[in-house]
Amino acid sequence: MNSKLSLNYFYNLMYQFLAIALPIVTVPYVSRTLGASALGEYYYIAAVVSYFNIVAILGTTDYGQREIAKRQGNKEARSKLFWDIFYFRSICTSITLIVYVLFIFIFPSRHHVLLIINFLSFASWIFDVSWYFQGMENFKVTAIRNGLVKILATILIFILIRKPSDVALYTFVYVIAGLIGNLTMIPYLKDELVFKKFQLTDIFSHVKGILGLFLPVVAIQLYTVLNRVMLGALSSSTQVSYFSQIMTIINLSLSIMSAFVGVLTPHIANIYSKGLRQEIKKLSKLAINFVYLLGLPMMLGCLVCGSIFVPVFFGYQYKPSIPILYILSSLFIILGFGQVLGGFLISTDRQGSYTVAVSLAAVANLILNFVFLIIFHKGAVGVSISTIVSETIATGVQMYYLRNILDMTNFITGFFRYGLISLISILPIGLLILLTGLSSLIKLILIIIFAVLAYFLILILLKDRAFNYILGPIVKKFYKGYKYKENE
């Protein structure tokens, strides 16, 4: 089990990383080429389109992944479920597309080009079957096929994007990459499934379960995407760009944890259906340590070198984003736990509790956004504070609902263990390099290289259990001499 979970994590990490590689790897280039205003417009429209996305797919992604995981060993049952969800998703997406066309006519004309380009997104949503392969715990398909398409798209960005007016072309490349990437997964379904005819009554028999996971998706969108929409409407596109660029970096780093959650969720759903409760408790302890293992050094790294990272990575016009990075750096822990705990709630059929947690966070975020944007005029800084508070509420409520399987003392011991290792690894090295007369770029590269090497060397020397359990099989895949305990 350990080896399978770890290798699936490796493949899903590739998938999660490459899924946002297009807007990430190109960030230093497009930040300077498109500029804060044009890039802010892109993020604004992307946020608007994402609302149509959540209505089009409802809760089919999480529901499909969980239910497929329960039917892994029954080809007939999982085929029936797949086609029911596929047909349901196609119907919802088609209806949403009609509403989207009408919406364009009432939206300001200066955004029409970007909105029209996003017609392709609707086709992409229909043919996204990654949820099926994730439910089957087969992450290799989504990682390799979809990943290659996104790498090609990233190359096209560097070739085609030359000036601020190319924001439409930038949008097109991003959208078409998503569509082609999803289409490449379709051929792999041939040997996995048997075809089932369209049966309306069977399709809508899943509505209750799907809607149960749709409500938390809506709530999450309210305090994530709505941040950008409110910034664009109540502040400026430049402020949207400041906030979005930092969140892009946060999300890239969090993709390492998201990949783990993506692997863990169907795995927990599978063992939960078999009644293996002790195994779930064991995995909860592992998950807590893993969030600290990755989140604490990320947070400390942002605090140590954030002032040189922002100008080097984004350009000097983004220096106002530095305090935003400092504020949002705590998301590595808060949101990391939120993702992990949310995965446990969904996998164990407690989506009602998950909905309560994210709904409370959404209400808090909405109220705080109005306060900071309208009363105090704090722009992206205010929205950043709202984000931290809302995510803390969501995570706290989820911890309460999972108190019967969580070892609360592990939250304390894990914090001090990985916090101390992070301080020893990053702080002395970071401060020493910062005091040198080297260029900012060289300083940043040296800090990252030496801090990461020092951190993982300490974990290996201490024979850290979380590191060995999750990353041990991956390391051994590339270095046969590495030894780890399979059953730890």
Side-chain angles (χ1 to χ4, degrees):
M1 180 195 70
N2 184 17
S3 179
K4 179 182 178 181
L5 188 66
S6 298
L7 293 178
N8 274 333
Y9 168 62
F10 172 71
Y11 287 123
N12 198 34
L13 177 59
M14 288 174 56
Y15 174 72
Q16 292 287 343
F17 186 87
L18 291 174
I20 54 176
L22 182 57
I24 289 292
V25 175
T26 58
V27 160
Y29 177 73
V30 298
S31 296
R32 293 164 173 81
T33 304
L34 294 180
S37 181
L39 199 55
E41 182 184 6
Y42 163 78
Y43 282 124
Y44 178 52
I45 296 302
V48 172
V49 173
S50 70
Y51 281 108
F52 290 91
N53 171 254
I54 63 173
V55 176
I57 67 174
L58 293 176
T60 53
T61 299
D62 290 332
Y63 177 80
Q65 182 190 91
R66 185 186 69 191
E67 297 304 312
I68 288 293
K70 295 177 181 178
R71 297 164 173 80
Q72 287 181 6
N74 190 327
K75 186 175 183 178
E76 186 71 20
R78 71 174 188 257
S79 295
K80 182 68 173 62
L81 178 68
F82 171 84
W83 287 111
D84 285 348
I85 294 177
F86 180 81
Y87 291 138
F88 181 84
R89 190 166 181 158
S90 300
I91 292 171
C92 292
T93 303
S94 299
I95 295 172
T96 308
L97 178 59
I98 295 173
V99 177
Y100 182 76
V101 172
L102 298 175
F103 171 80
I104 291 178
F105 288 105
I106 64 173
F107 211 72
S109 59
R110 68 179 183 275
H111 299 303
H112 281 182
V113 174
L114 298 189
L115 289 170
I116 291 172
I117 291 172
N118 274 283
F119 278 145
L120 293 171
S121 296
F122 289 80
S124 178
W125 302 337
I126 290 176
F127 293 109
D128 179 11
V129 294
S130 59
W131 53 270
Y132 171 81
F133 292 104
Q134 290 164 357
M136 290 297 294
E137 297 187 70
N138 180 2
F139 291 85
K140 187 175 182 179
V141 171
T142 56
I144 296 176
R145 304 297 298 181
N146 211 349
L148 290 174
V149 174
K150 294 185 183 300
I151 291 173
L152 177 60
T154 302
I155 295 172
L156 289 176
I157 290 295
F158 286 105
I159 295 174
L160 300 175
I161 307 305
R162 298 294 180 183
K163 52 188 181 299
S165 60
D166 288 337
V167 65
L169 185 58
Y170 178 72
T171 303
F172 176 77
V173 173
Y174 183 56
V175 172
I176 197 67
L179 174 58
I180 296 175
N182 289 338
L183 289 174
T184 60
M185 292 185 284
I186 300 297
Y188 287 89
L189 293 172
K190 181 180 179 181
D191 297 326
E192 289 279 329
L193 305 166
V194 292
F195 178 75
K196 297 293 180 179
K197 293 182 179 180
F198 182 93
Q199 296 288 338
L200 192 62
T201 54
D202 291 343
I203 292 170
F204 284 96
S205 66
H206 300 282
V207 169
K208 183 178 179 181
I210 290 172
L211 289 181
L213 289 170
F214 169 65
L215 294 176
V217 170
V218 173
I220 290 172
Q221 291 294 316
L222 282 176
Y223 66 89
T224 53
V225 178
L226 187 60
N227 287 334
R228 298 172 187 178
V229 175
M230 292 183 71
L231 265 177
L234 300 176
S235 186
S236 68
S237 60
T238 301
Q239 288 293 311
V240 175
S241 185
Y242 291 154
F243 176 78
S244 297
Q245 291 291 68
I246 298 302
M247 279 304 301
T248 300
I249 295 302
I250 298 291
N251 288 330
L252 170 63
S253 303
L254 281 172
S255 68
I256 303 175
M257 296 184 200
S258 300
F260 178 62
V261 174
V263 168
L264 200 61
T265 299
H267 186 68
I268 294 172
N270 188 27
I271 63 177
Y272 178 74
S273 66
K274 299 175 181 177
L276 303 176
R277 301 296 189 269
Q278 289 303 315
E279 183 67 22
I280 293 176
K281 286 188 176 183
K282 176 182 176 182
L283 288 173
S284 71
K285 182 177 181 180
L286 168 72
I288 292 170
N289 286 333
F290 190 64
V291 171
Y292 280 135
L293 186 153
L294 294 177
L296 283 171
M298 289 177 183
M299 182 178 71
L300 185 60
C302 286
L303 296 176
V304 170
C305 58
S307 60
I308 63 172
F309 172 81
V310 169
V312 168
F313 203 71
F314 299 117
Y316 283 96
Q317 62 176 316
Y318 285 90
K319 289 190 73 173
S321 297
I322 294 174
I324 298 171
L325 177 62
Y326 291 151
I327 296 170
L328 293 176
S329 63
S330 59
L331 284 181
F332 291 123
I333 303 299
I334 300 169
L335 192 54
F337 279 130
Q339 291 180 349
V340 166
L341 300 180
F344 273 87
L345 287 172
I346 292 173
S347 301
T348 55
D349 293 326
R350 288 192 258 184
Q351 55 262 32
S353 300
Y354 182 55
T355 301
V356 171
V358 296
S359 296
L360 289 173
V363 172
N365 184 258
L366 185 62
I367 294 172
L368 289 172
N369 275 351
F370 275 112
V371 171
F372 284 116
L373 291 175
I374 296 177
I375 299 177
F376 295 109
H377 305 289
K378 290 298 182 180
V381 171
V383 170
S384 299
I385 297 173
S386 299
T387 300
I388 295 298
V389 174
S390 61
E391 292 292 357
T392 301
I393 291 173
T395 299
V397 175
Q398 289 177 100
M399 288 175 63
Y400 173 78
Y401 282 122
L402 287 168
R403 63 191 184 280
N404 62 320
I405 67 170
L406 296 176
D407 181 1
M408 293 301 174
T409 59
N410 199 43
F411 283 95
I412 300 173
T413 57
F415 175 81
F416 283 105
R417 175 180 176 83
Y418 296 105
L420 181 61
I421 297 174
S422 299
L423 286 171
I424 294 173
S425 306
I426 299 172
L427 200 58
I429 294 173
L431 293 178
L432 182 64
I433 294 175
L434 286 174
L435 292 174
T436 64
L438 300 171
S439 68
S440 296
L441 176 60
I442 299 300
K443 287 180 182 179
L444 187 62
I445 293 173
L446 290 177
I447 290 174
I448 293 174
I449 292 175
F450 286 109
V452 169
L453 288 176
Y455 185 69
F456 284 107
L457 179 61
I458 293 175
L459 290 176
I460 291 172
L461 291 175
L462 292 177
K463 298 180 180 179
D464 184 79
R465 289 189 175 186
F467 179 86
N468 279 335
Y469 189 98
I470 301 169
L471 301 176
I474 299 174
V475 175
K476 189 172 180 62
K477 187 176 179 66
F478 297 99
Y479 175 54
K480 301 300 182 183
Y482 181 75
K483 296 181 179 180
Y484 69 96
K485 292 185 178 180
E486 180 81 18
N487 60 351
E488 284 236 86

